[in-house]
Amino acid sequence: MQIMSLAAGVVMAGEHILIVEDEADIAELVEYNLARADYDPQCVATGEEGLVQAREAEPDLVILDLMLPGLSGLEVCRRLKADPRTARIPVIMLTAKGEEEDIVAGFEAGADDYVTKPFRPKVLLARVRAVLRRGTGQRRREDDVVDLEGLEIHPGRHEVRVDGEVVDLTRTEFRILQFLASRPGWVFTRSQIVRSVHGDDYPVTGRSVDVQVAALRRKLGAAGPLIQTVRGVGYKMGD
Ligand code: CA
């Protein structure tokens, strides 16, 4: 597709998106919808080709099917994220419906978001736009003050306020909140939260993340619902 547009002398202004999908009809559907939305899509059918193209074409985003012949989508994602040349390229995983464990594994492998098949093109496009937007410097620095619908986090002062009132949090609760708020709308798995917090007051496990989040929500009161459960995956901060 890319070669065709180059040959026609068309200058594509949209972001270059690499689609790694072995099912031709799905690849075509995704490619068609991306092109119509003024992106510059390119399809490959195997993980091996995906890795080569990700390095050569330096796409702005990779849409990666999980079930591929040969190298699996998970393995492709791991290799993309392990290679400094491709580690920064965001990855959206395509997974079959109900494979929640695969979604978790995808996030562990470094995927930035996922879409379950069958999907509506509109939904995929919305995810593509969101991931590309996040990629352009939306990530907050650790010391930035966060202000989300009445919830303020002051990292320097280790202080949290809800509607102006100081909320008393433990060190672990504060870290979890700060971690989730570092990327609003971004889903974090329990083990990513554990790794980010690695509590020094006591060991943090996946299960105890649930306990901590429950306590956090309670203490945050009106702002508690900002912390959303993503079933089978983990948590995110509402955006
Ligand atoms: Ca497939």
Side-chain angles (χ1 to χ4, degrees), residues 21-23 65 67-68 117:
E21 168 65 84
D22 60 309
E23 286 158 83
D65 183 33
M67 299 288 281
L68 292 167
K117 295 183 194 177

Side-chain angles (χ1 to χ4, degrees), residues 130-197:
V131 167
L132 287 172
R133 200 172 51 225
R134 284 180 210 154
T136 51
Q138 265 241 333
R139 178 161 202 166
R140 288 200 171 89
R141 295 214 328 270
E142 284 241 313
D143 52 351
D144 282 351
V145 173
V146 172
D147 191 349
L148 275 171
E149 299 174 42
L151 170 70
E152 293 165 57
I153 307 171
H154 299 266
R157 283 187 261 157
H158 243 256
E159 188 181 271
V160 172
R161 287 173 181 266
V162 175
D163 296 328
E165 297 283 317
V166 174
V167 179
D168 189 24
L169 299 181
T170 66
R171 180 195 285 261
T172 306
E173 287 162 355
F174 183 85
R175 283 197 193 161
I176 292 175
L177 182 63
Q178 191 183 12
F179 182 59
L180 293 175
S182 68
R183 287 180 151 188
W186 205 275
V187 183
F188 294 102
T189 65
R190 288 177 178 78
S191 26
Q192 283 175 322
I193 296 171
V194 169
R195 273 202 302 279
S196 86
V197 173

